[in-house]
Structure formats: structure tokens, C-alpha cells
């Protein structure tokens, strides 16, 4: 019982740090995105979104799962911080060099000079961001997420302050990319200073066998992260090449709202991951308890977010991005269903890796990528951003099904509970869709009241999660 209380306190404390930091950092970036979208217009906003998506795909080669593998292993053997840090940084520097070569060798023949230059600078900034993530994996493994939280806020503040200043004086996607690069360099230096002061030192050992072993062990994590990011960013890239930057701008206005909605889940799961990795080795009963409770919280958060975005898609888009992005409302009403699935998958994916199922998880994500690729090729030419949105929903649904299948087979005693919770969610979604089509008035106040009613029903009647679940998980353990 005492151990469970300590675990609850650890998760709660780190969740507060990460949720707070992620909320601040992402909110700041989101405000910048709104400013950029309004200042640059749909087409130039589409160009910048394409640069972020294109650079985001290739930057994954600079990590290949090294950071995730470091968190998992170091969470179990914290005394080896210096060894894992040194190996991780050396590996990521070598991988980053190869990544720069790959990106530089790609010719974007159908893009203008500004777009090409923006892609190069954004990619370089992402390399420094990847190096910073390698350092922050040490913080995460030690469950000292306050340092990562400070780092995230610092990065967000620099990007927003300098970004708004630059765009206000001279609206340019290239100058905005330079701001991203400068901010990433400063963040990396800050993380290094914290590491050397608080956690360990650097042991230079350029050993090919050690490098080979690290990449071999990390690759399942890396493949999953790579292909997951591929299918997250694939739609924007394909829309740009197949339809044009205007379509990317419309699509990304809706997609950005999905990102800001799921930030709490990402931050919370980052705090949970090292704990469940350790529990799987030390106490299966505690692991199962945490698994069930966090799943309930994830499912509840997901369905409420889906209904919120689905019912208020029009007012949200116009309020945040302006009338020029009105077509994004229909895109958001489709992507809302992917949002709910993301809440679940962002928890189940790391859980599968924590129970040593990274190879299976990697297969799921690779399959999802190819499904996403083929479906986008079929739907985007005819349905443009609506086809891309539908593809995203179908992809996330497939990932959820296979994730659930694996976990319910590997962890005894959770299948019945999970299926009951999913049944409650499906019923809530059916009611929301029926209400939208048949009797819910087109009035923001009534729709907000309806959403609050659904949340109240799920907690106090359907007990997803129940008040006692949340009290036990948070307040009692703390």
C-alpha cells in the first residue's frame, strides 16, 4: 500500500509538471500558429505547415528510438545515467549528420525557393530539438520532469516572442524558420547545463560495437516512432504535392486544434510511462491497477473531447482562425473522431512498449503507415482534405483495435473492463451524433450544456471513470 501511494504521488507530481508545462508551451505555440495563420493567409500558412511536416518526417532518422529506449532501460537502472547519456548523445550526433545529408540531397522540384529554404532551416532546428529530447530522456527516466517542463516552457516562450516580433515586422516563413532554429539551439544548451549539474557527466567512447548494439535495441522503438510520425504528417505532405498549399492550410487549421486538445494526454502519459515500465518488472498487481485507471481516464477524456470538437467545430474554427478558414470546420468535425482515438492510443502505445511489446507495436504502426499511404492516395485526389481527414480516423481506429487486442491478451483481468468502458463510449458517441442531426439546436450554449451533461453522465452514472477511481488515483495516493 505504501508503495502504491508513492507511485501515485510520483505520477501525480510529474503529471502536474508536464501537464502544466505542456499546456503553457503548446498554448503559446498554438497562439503563434493562430497569429501566423491570420497574418500570412491560407497559402503561406500552408507552406509553413508543409515545412514542419516535411522536416518532421526526416528528422526521425536522427533518433531511431534511442530516447525511448534510454527512458525504459534507465528507469530500471538509474545508476547508469552517465553511460546511457553518453551513448545516446554520440548515437544521435552520428544519426543527425546522416539526416542532414539525406535532407540536403532531396530536391523539391515543384517548390519555390522560399519553401525549400524554410524546409532546410526547420529540419536543422528539429535536429537540435532531437538532441534536446535525448537529454530530456534522462530527466524522464529519473522521474524529474520538472526540468523537462522548464525546458519546454523556455522553448515555447522563445518561439512565440521572437516569432511574433519577426512576423509583425516582416511576414516571412523563412525568418520564422530561423526563429525555430535559434530557439532549439538555446533549448539544447539549457538541457545540457541541467544534466551536467544534476545528473552526471559525459564519457566519450566511440565504440562501433556499442553503437551497433544501441541502435539494434532502439530500432523497434524507432520504427514505431518513425512510422507513427509518417502517418501523422503524411496527409499534409501528400496534400501539398497533390493539391497545393491552400489545401494544406485549410487542413492544418483543423489539425492544430486536435494537437492542442490532446496535449494533456501526451503530458500525462509521459509521466506514467517510466512508472509502468518499472511496475511491470516489480509488481503486476500495481501495474494492472494503474493500467485500468489510466485507461478509464484516457477513454473518458477522449470521448468528451470528440463530442466537444464535433458539436462546436464551426464556431471554434471561425473564432480562432477567422472566416477565411471556414471550410476547416467540416474537416474538424471528421478529425474530432480521430482525437478521441488518439487519447487512447497515446496511452496504449507506450504501455505496449513498457511490457516489452515494442516489436509488435512497431508492426502495428508500420502497417498503419502503409494503410494511411494507400488510402490517402485513393481519397485525396477526389476528396482533398476531407479524404485526408477520413483516412486519419480510419488509421487511428485500426491502431486502437490492434493495441487493445495485444494488451488484453498479455495482461490478465483487463479485457472485460476495457470492453465495458468502450461500450459506454460508443453509446455516448451515438447519442451525440443523433442529437446533432435530430434535435440539438444550432446554439452554442445548448451544445455546451449537452457536452457537460454527457461528461456528468459518464462520471456519475456510467462511472467512466468514477469519482472514487479518480480520488483513489490522485488525492488518496498523494
Amino acid at each position: 500500500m505504501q508503495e502504491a501511494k508513492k507511485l501515485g504521488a510520483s505520477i501525480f507530481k510529474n503529471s502536474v509538471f508536464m501537464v502544466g508545462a505542456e499546456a503553457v508551451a503548446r498554448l503559446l505555440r498554438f497562439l503563434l500558429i493562430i497569429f501566423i495563420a491570420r497574418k500570412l493567409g491560407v497559402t503561406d500558412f500552408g507552406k509553413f505547415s508543409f515545412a514542419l511536416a516535411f522536416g518532421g518526417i526526416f528528422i526521425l532518422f536522427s533518433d531511431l528510438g534511442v530516447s525511448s529506449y534510454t527512458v525504459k532501460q534507465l528507469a530500471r537502472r538509474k545508476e547508469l545515467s552517465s553511460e546511457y547519456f553518453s551513448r545516446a548523445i554520440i548515437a544521435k550526433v552520428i544519426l543527425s549528420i546522416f539526416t542532414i545529408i539525406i535532407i540536403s540531397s532531396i530536391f523539391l522540384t515543384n517548390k519555390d525557393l522560399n519553401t525549400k529554404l524554410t524546409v532546410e532551416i526547420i529540419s536543422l532546428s528539429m535536429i537540435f530539438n532531437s538532441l534536446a529530447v535525448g537529454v530530456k530522456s534522462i530527466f524522464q527516466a529519473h522521474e524529474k520532469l520538472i526540468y523537462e517542463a522548464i525546458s519546454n516552457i523556455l522553448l515555447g516562450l522563445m518561439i512565440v516572442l521572437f516569432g511574433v516580433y519577426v512576423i509583425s515586422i516582416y511576414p516571412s516563413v523563412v525568418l520564422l524558420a530561423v526563429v525555430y532554429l535559434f530557439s532549439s539551439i538555446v533549448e539544447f544548451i539549457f538541457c545540457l547545463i541541467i544534466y551536467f549539474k544534476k545528473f552526471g557527466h559525459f564519457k566519450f567512447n566511440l565504440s562501433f560495437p556499442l553503437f551497433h548494439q544501441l541502435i539494434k535495441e532502439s530500432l523497434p522503438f524507432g520504427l514505431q516512432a518513425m512510422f507513427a510520425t509518417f502517418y501523422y504528417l503524411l496527409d499534409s505532405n501528400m496534400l501539398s504535392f497533390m493539391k497545393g498549399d491552400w489545401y494544406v492550410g485549410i487542413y492544418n487549421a483543423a489539425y492544430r486544434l486536435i494537437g492542442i486538445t490532446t496535449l494533456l494526454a501526451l503530458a500525462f502519459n509521459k509521466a506514467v510511462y517510466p512508472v509502468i515500465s518499472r511496475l511491470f518488472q516489480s509488481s503486476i498487481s500495481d501495474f494492472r491497477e494503474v493500467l485500468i485507471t489510466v485507461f478509464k481516464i484516457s477513454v473518458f477524456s477522449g470521448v468528451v473531447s470528440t463530442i466537444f470538437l464535433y458539436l462546436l467545430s464551426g464556431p471554434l474554427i471561425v473564432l480562432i482562425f477567422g472566416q477565411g478558414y471556414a471550410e476547416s470546420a467540416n474537416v474538424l468535425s471528421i478529425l474530432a473522431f480521430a482525437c478521441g482515438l488518439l487519447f487512447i492510443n497515446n496511452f496504449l502505445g507506450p504501455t505496449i512498449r513498457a511490457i516489452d511489446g515494442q516489436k509488435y507495436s512497431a508492426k502495428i504502426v508500420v502497417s498503419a503507415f502503409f494503410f494511411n499511404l494507400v488510402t490517402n492516395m485513393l481519397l485525396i485526389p477526389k476528396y482533398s482534405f476531407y479524404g485526408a481527414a477520413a483516412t486519419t480516423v480510419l488509421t487511428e481506429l485500426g491502431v486502437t483495435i490492434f493495441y487493445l487486442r495485444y494488451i488484453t491478451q498479455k495482461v490478465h483481468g483487463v479485457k472485460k473492463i476495457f470492453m465495458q468502458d468502450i461500450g459506454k463510449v460508443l453509446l455516448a458517441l451515438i447519442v451525440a451524433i443523433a442529437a446533432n442531426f435530430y434535435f440539438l439546436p444550432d446554439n452554442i450554449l445548448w451544445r455546451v450544456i449537452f457536452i457537460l451533461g454527457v461528461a456528468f453522465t459518464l462520471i456519475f452514472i456510467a462511472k467512466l471513470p468514477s469519482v472514487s477511481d479518480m480520488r483513489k488515483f490522485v488525492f488518496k495516493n498523494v
Side-chain angles (χ1 to χ4, degrees), residues 310-315 435-436 439-448:
Y310 172 69
L311 294 180
L312 298 175
S313 58
N436 184 49
F439 65 84
L440 195 62
D442 192 16
N443 179 281
I444 296 177
L445 178 60
W446 279 109
R447 290 180 175 241
V448 170

Side-chain angles (χ1 to χ4, degrees), residues 60-66 90-100 102 127 211 215:
L60 293 166
F61 292 104
S62 67
D63 186 272
L64 290 183
V66 171
I90 291 174
K92 288 171 77 73
V93 168
I94 295 173
L95 292 171
S96 295
I97 294 172
F98 283 109
T99 302
I100 294 173
I102 292 172
I127 285 178
F211 175 77
I215 298 301

Side-chain angles (χ1 to χ4, degrees), residues 266-312:
L266 290 170
F268 181 70
N269 291 328
K270 186 173 288 188
V272 171
Y273 178 58
V275 175
I276 59 176
S277 295
R278 175 159 42 89
L279 281 180
F280 183 68
Q281 296 290 321
S282 60
S283 174
I284 291 296
S285 60
D286 287 338
F287 169 81
R288 188 182 297 110
E289 181 181 349
V290 171
L291 175 65
I292 292 173
T293 304
V294 177
F295 180 77
K296 286 178 177 291
I297 294 172
S298 300
V299 169
F300 168 78
S301 304
V303 69
V304 172
S305 298
T306 293
I307 295 173
F308 174 79
L309 294 174
Y310 172 69
L311 294 180
L312 298 175

Side-chain angles (χ1 to χ4, degrees), residues 55 105 151 237 269 304 352 381 386 397 455:
S105 64
S151 171
N237 282 280
N269 291 328
V304 172
I352 291 176
Y386 299 122
L397 178 61

Side-chain angles (χ1 to χ4, degrees), residues 328-395:
S328 297
N330 291 330
V331 179
L332 180 59
S333 66
I334 300 173
L335 286 175
F337 294 92
C339 179
L341 295 168
L342 279 167
F343 270 87
I344 300 173
N345 293 342
N346 285 339
F347 169 62
L348 295 183
T351 300
I352 291 176
R353 296 196 296 272
I355 62 177
D356 300 323
Q358 56 265 24
K359 291 183 179 180
Y360 176 85
S361 182
K363 292 177 182 178
I364 298 281
V365 175
V366 171
S367 300
F369 164 74
F370 285 108
F371 173 82
N372 191 281
L373 175 64
V374 173
T375 310
N376 269 322
M377 290 178 66
L378 294 174
L379 296 183
I380 286 179
K382 185 174 182 180
Y383 301 104
S384 66
F385 33 64
Y386 299 122
T391 298
T392 300
V393 175
L394 292 174
T395 304

Side-chain angles (χ1 to χ4, degrees), residues 164-236:
V164 169
Y165 177 74
V166 166
I167 294 298
S168 298
I169 295 177
Y170 185 76
S172 166
V173 291
V174 176
L175 291 179
L176 188 60
V178 173
V179 169
Y180 271 70
L181 174 59
F182 172 77
S183 302
S184 298
I185 294 173
V186 174
E187 184 204 20
F188 175 53
I189 295 172
F190 173 80
C191 290
L192 285 177
I193 292 172
I194 294 296
Y195 169 79
F196 287 123
K197 282 190 174 183
K198 300 289 185 179
F199 295 95
H201 54 277
F202 180 78
K203 295 181 179 180
F204 184 79
N205 184 6
L206 192 59
S207 169
F208 179 77
L210 285 177
F211 175 77
H212 179 266
Q213 180 185 2
L214 177 61
I215 298 301
K216 182 180 178 181
E217 296 293 334
S218 302
L219 198 56
F221 295 91
L223 286 175
Q224 177 170 341
M226 285 174 63
F227 282 96
T229 305
F230 283 170
Y231 77 71
Y232 285 141
L233 301 179
L234 190 63
D235 39 17
S236 292

Side-chain angles (χ1 to χ4, degrees), residues 37 57-58 64 99 102 142 152 171 173 183 222 258 262 278 285 315 355 360 372 393 404 408 412 414 427 452:
I57 285 180
F58 289 96
L64 290 183
T99 302
I102 292 172
H142 282 270
N152 291 344
V173 291
S183 302
I258 302 300
T262 56
R278 175 159 42 89
S285 60
I355 62 177
Y360 176 85
N372 191 281
V393 175
L404 284 171
T408 53
H412 178 70
V414 301
L427 180 60
L452 293 175

Side-chain angles (χ1 to χ4, degrees), residues 415-462:
K415 184 175 182 179
K416 183 179 179 180
I417 298 173
F418 280 12
M419 294 303 104
Q420 289 174 344
D421 292 341
I422 291 173
K424 297 172 185 177
V425 164
L426 291 176
L427 180 60
L429 288 175
I430 291 172
V431 170
I433 294 172
N436 184 49
F437 276 99
Y438 294 110
F439 65 84
L440 195 62
D442 192 16
N443 179 281
I444 296 177
L445 178 60
W446 279 109
R447 290 180 175 241
V448 170
I449 292 173
F450 178 83
I451 295 166
L452 293 175
V454 171
F456 180 88
T457 302
L458 289 173
I459 293 177
F460 292 98
I461 299 177

